[in-house]
């Protein structure tokens, strides 16, 4: 038996305090102190409501209010002594409140439980992160729009299988990421609106017999409404899972873009130059300039997926309502949030600073017979050939150019005619990459006119 005294908050039926190992596995204060301001905001709203409903008298409510402000300033000022014996942020705050104001502190927990308290605190914390993610995504999208607008008509190779496919524009490529981050933005907003219900007042699991006003606390904390089922309210972590899955999908987009930047900044590609501010050097090879930020962004997705998977596993077998397993939700979310925000900020900085190398992009755009499809389309449009025949004829011309060691526009008209005698001089118009991209005016296509239209549309979307 431990000679420690029983827990002051819940130890009434305990003769002895917890074993050191019990305390170690049980405590969450090491990490949930990050929710201190949310915890105090929740307690302030709860106390004000207890006063307004006459459950507590005004004198006690005022003492609690002032005491909580003192606790908050101690935590913010770094003078608060967090205690592992007091398990978590909720009991640390309440115990300190008791030191400061005495008996009224013990009345704060009327009509409330740590189960609805932790759900409320955590929701407030996650909601702030959704808001931060929204701001970061808007900024990143704005940075991409600037890149897209500047290079709306810069030609570059478009790839499939990382093989040159058809010429596209730099602006079009940037706008592809705007679409991805735009969907992330919409997922953030959607998840945030769905999660914005207040668990406070669900109490332990069944609600309470005190005449509390859940509308009032919900409103004070910026929630749209109180949650409608107390069992669900204390055991729901969907909001954390939606946060992690939204972060996961966005991190996957960041990672794909980061991978392109790693490839594009290589000496072999030279499509982009990353700024010194977002690159690092090698301690042995003086010539090196490494895209470390892009590589780390590419890697961050791993831990964010990991957090998502971990919390899915934690939650999957839990019976209603609260179980202590759920305390394992926070570290995953904290780590994923920190790294998601960092990755977004780093990508934002890299995109704002990077320079697209217009000449390298253009030189690569015409290589690899990238206008072969334009040639086939010309045979269909001008000579009226079926596309399959046009494809075959073009293929034979690509083979000819390959043996000649030249590109398609370098073949002579006579050489062209060996594949089909109807081919005329006009074919050379469609073989330039500029004409190729300019011709792709279908909605959402790579033509500079389309890219500029999409830039304008997105500027309004994010305004
Ligand atoms: N530290 C706990 C958590 O994060 C708070 C809730 C504890 N509730 C309880 N009944 N033990 O989940």
């Amino acid at each position: 038996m431990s000679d420690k005294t029983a827990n002051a908050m819940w130890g009434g039926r305990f003769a002895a305090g917890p074993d050191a190992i019990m305390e170690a596995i049980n405590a969450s204060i090491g990490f949930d102190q990050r929710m201190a301001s949310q915890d105090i905001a929740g307690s302030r709203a709860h106390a004000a409501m207890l006063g307004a409903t006459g459950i507590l008298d005004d004198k006690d409510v005022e003492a609690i209010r002032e005491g909580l402000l003192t606790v908050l300033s101690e935590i913010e000022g770094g003078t608060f002594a967090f205690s592992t014996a007091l398990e978590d942020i909720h009991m640390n705050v309440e115990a300190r409140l008791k030191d400061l104001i005495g008996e009224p502190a013990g009345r704060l927990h009327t009509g409330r439980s740590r189960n609805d308290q932790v759900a409320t605190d955590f929701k407030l914390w996650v909601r702030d992160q959704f808001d931060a993610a929204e701001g970061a995504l808007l900024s990143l999208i704005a940075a991409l729009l600037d890149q897209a607008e500047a290079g709306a008509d810069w030609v570059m190779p478009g790839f499939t299988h990382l093989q040159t496919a058809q010429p596209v524009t730099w602006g079009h490529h940037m706008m592809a990421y705007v679409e991805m981050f735009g969907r992330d933005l919409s997922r953030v907003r959607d998840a945030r609106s769905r999660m914005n219900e207040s668990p406070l007042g669900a109490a332990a699991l069944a609600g309470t017999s005190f005449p509390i006003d859940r509308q009032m606390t919900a409103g004070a904390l910026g929630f749209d409404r109180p949650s409608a089922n107390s069992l669900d309210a204390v055991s729901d972590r969907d909001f954390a899972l939606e946060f992690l899955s939204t972060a996961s999908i966005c991190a996957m987009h960041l990672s794909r873009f980061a991978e392109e930047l790693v490839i594009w900044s290589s000496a072999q590609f030279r499509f982009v130059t990353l700024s010194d501010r977002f690159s690092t050097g090698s301690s042995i090879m003086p010539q090196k300039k490494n895209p470390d930020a892009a590589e780390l962004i590419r890697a961050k997705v791993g831990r964010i997926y990991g957090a998502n998977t971990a919390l899915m596993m934690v939650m999957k077998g839990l019976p209603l309502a609260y179980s202590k397993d759920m305390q394992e939700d926070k570290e995953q979310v904290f780590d994923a949030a920190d790294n998601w925000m960092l990755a977004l900020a780093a990508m934002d900085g890299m995109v704002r600073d990077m320079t697209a190398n217009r000449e390298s992009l253009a030189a690569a755009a015409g290589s690899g017979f990238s206008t072969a499809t334009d040639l086939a389309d010309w045979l269909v449009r001008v000579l009226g050939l079926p596309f399959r025949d046009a494809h075959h004829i073009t293929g034979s011309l690509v083979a000819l150019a390959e043996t000649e060691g030249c590109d398609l526009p370098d073949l002579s008209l006579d050489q062209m005619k060996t594949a089909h005698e109807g081919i005329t001089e006009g074919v050379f118009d469609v073989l330039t990459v500029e004409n190729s991209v300019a011709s792709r005016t279908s909605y959402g296509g790579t033509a500079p006119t389309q890219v500029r239209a999409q830039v304008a549309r997105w500027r309004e979307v994010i305004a």
Side-chain angles (χ1 to χ4, degrees), residues 156-224:
M156 68 179 282
F159 300 92
T160 60
H161 317 269
L162 199 53
Q163 309 286 323
T164 302
Q166 294 173 348
V168 295
T169 49
W170 170 258
H172 195 50
H173 203 116
M174 292 299 107
M175 291 306 288
Y177 284 102
V178 167
E179 292 292 328
M180 290 178 241
F181 295 124
R183 287 192 295 276
D184 293 329
L185 178 66
S186 118
R187 267 184 285 275
V188 163
R189 288 173 168 165
D190 175 55
R192 191 219 192 266
S193 74
R194 187 170 24 261
M195 61 115 44
N196 204 29
E197 294 184 342
S198 173
L200 195 57
L205 73 167
T208 176
S209 57
F210 289 101
I212 59 170
D213 183 348
R214 294 193 60 206
Q215 262 77 19
M216 182 181 167
T217 46
L221 294 169
F223 288 113
D224 297 327

Side-chain angles (χ1 to χ4, degrees), residues 28 32 88 90 114-115 118 237 322 324 326-327 330:
S28 54
D32 68 14
D88 56 24
H90 325 295
R114 271 191 296 156
N115 297 348
V118 72
R237 292 296 181 271
Y322 178 86
K324 198 62 173 261
M326 291 162 71
Q327 180 167 285
K330 289 168 214 64

Side-chain angles (χ1 to χ4, degrees), residues 261-317:
L261 294 178
V262 170
I263 295 172
W264 290 354
S265 62
S266 67
Q268 288 69 26
F269 271 76
R270 289 187 195 284
F271 282 7
V272 295
T273 305
L274 300 176
S275 73
D276 286 358
R277 300 186 337 134
F278 284 94
S279 308
T280 55
S282 157
S283 52
I284 177 167
M285 297 166 282
Q287 84 284 11
K288 293 270 281 181
K289 187 168 154 188
N290 295 327
D292 289 30
E295 293 166 86
L296 287 162
I297 292 170
R298 189 173 58 185
K300 291 295 185 197
V301 67
R303 60 203 287 177
I304 295 173
Y305 283 4
N308 189 31
T309 307
L311 187 55
M312 288 287 242
M313 288 298 117
V314 166
M315 294 304 296
K316 77 171 193 46

